Amino acid sequence: EAGVAQSPRYKIIEKRQSVAFWCNPISGHATLYWYQQILGQGPKLLIQFQNNGVVDDSQLPKDRFSAERLKGVDSTLKIQPAKLEDSAVYLCASGRIRDSSYEQYFGPGTRLTVT
Amino acid sequence: KQEVTQIPAALSVPEGENLVLNCSFTDSAIYNLQWFRQDPGKGLTSLLLIQSSQREQTSGRLNASLDKSSGRSTLYIAASQPGDSATYLCAVRRTGNQFYFGTGTSLTVIP
């Protein structure tokens, strides 16, 4: 089974520029998550999709961040304009039910550096 | 709001030692708790998942316990090896398949 794919793996931009990240979840996984992980902290949920609908985006800074999941498969996360504090690893995960429980599977992440 | 705390933040042990990592959470209304491993520059790898109705789960040298009423979970690693060096994260699942992560414990196993 192929894992969660993310690209790019690394990105360096200047503040006020825009950037986009792409995620391809595991085939058949209905739920997709974007997390932000700042150095030394645990992942923080930005947005959760169920198929192509948003379940939770309460912690997404909507003035600068946007995300979409067209056709309930791939997803993109965009930041415009970027700030220095957006420097972090952006993790995508997809989820499924296994053994009557629910598990998440993570991609390798995109490391963003804003200068 | 669910708060998840992990203690200690960092731990260094000699190879072969048994060790315990701690995770505490404020809201006991959880569906399950999952332990992950994160290697530098990589994503998270699931180690163990404990359902809210379970007390513990084991996989090889790893054993995770859950005491939902007290809001605590522990990850026990037996006979530690240098390859166990990584950051260990716990995450609790609440309604709507929402997950809340702790800040992690950075483990170094010294050969």
Side-chain angles (χ1 to χ4, degrees), chain B residues 3-91:
Chain B
E3 300 284 345
V4 182
T5 306
Q6 291 187 245
I7 296 173
L11 181 64
S12 184
V13 300
E15 181 177 0
E17 258 196 24
N18 303 324
L19 58 102
V20 175
L21 307 180
N22 297 290
C23 172
S24 61
F25 46 95
T26 54
D27 187 345
S28 61
I30 66 170
Y31 283 97
N32 63 37
L33 184 145
Q34 200 166 354
W35 282 94
F36 292 88
R37 168 186 174 137
Q38 186 172 32
D39 293 283
K42 297 188 178 180
L44 281 66
T45 302
S46 179
L47 297 173
L48 289 164
L49 183 148
I50 312 177
Q51 306 230 34
S52 62
S53 59
Q54 297 176 321
R55 282 286 194 172
E56 63 180 284
Q57 280 286 338
T58 299
S59 176
R61 295 182 294 108
L62 305 179
N63 175 277
S65 67
L66 174 64
D67 184 343
K68 201 174 71 164
S69 61
S70 67
R72 295 173 61 184
S73 175
T74 61
L75 178 67
Y76 175 83
I77 302 176
S80 58
Q81 302 171 358
D84 295 331
S85 297
T87 296
Y88 291 81
L89 294 152
C90 68

Side-chain angles (χ1 to χ4, degrees), chain A residues 33-44:
Chain A
Y33 308 82
W34 283 103
Y35 290 89
Q36 179 192 59
Q37 187 177 22
I38 293 173
L39 186 64
Q41 299 182 19
K44 182 185 83 171

Side-chain angles (χ1 to χ4, degrees), chain A residues 31-104:
Chain A
T31 310
L32 185 147
Y33 308 82
W34 283 103
Y35 290 89
Q36 179 192 59
Q37 187 177 22
I38 293 173
L39 186 64
Q41 299 182 19
K44 182 185 83 171
L45 178 68
L46 292 176
I47 189 167
Q48 176 187 346
F49 292 95
Q50 181 72 20
N51 296 309
N52 60 347
V54 175
V55 174
D56 182 359
D57 62 357
S58 57
Q59 297 193 90
L60 187 73
K62 297 180 185 65
D63 58 333
R64 298 184 301 106
F65 286 64
S66 65
E68 62 180 7
R69 189 182 185 197
L70 299 177
K71 300 180 182 178
V73 182
D74 293 6
S75 177
T76 56
L77 176 69
K78 296 179 182 178
I79 308 174
Q80 182 180 12
K83 293 185 176 181
L84 295 176
E85 59 261 36
D86 297 333
S87 293
V89 175
Y90 291 83
L91 295 164
C92 179
S94 64
R96 70 163 187 181
I97 294 181
R98 189 185 86 158
D99 297 334
S100 301
S101 190
Y102 191 86
E103 281 193 272
Q104 291 184 98

Side-chain angles (χ1 to χ4, degrees), chain A residues 11-26:
Chain A
K11 190 74 177 180
I12 301 174
I13 62 172
E14 295 181 352
K15 59 183 180 183
R16 291 187 288 275
Q17 286 187 324
S18 63
V19 64
F21 312 129
W22 173 82
C23 173
N24 179 237
I26 294 173

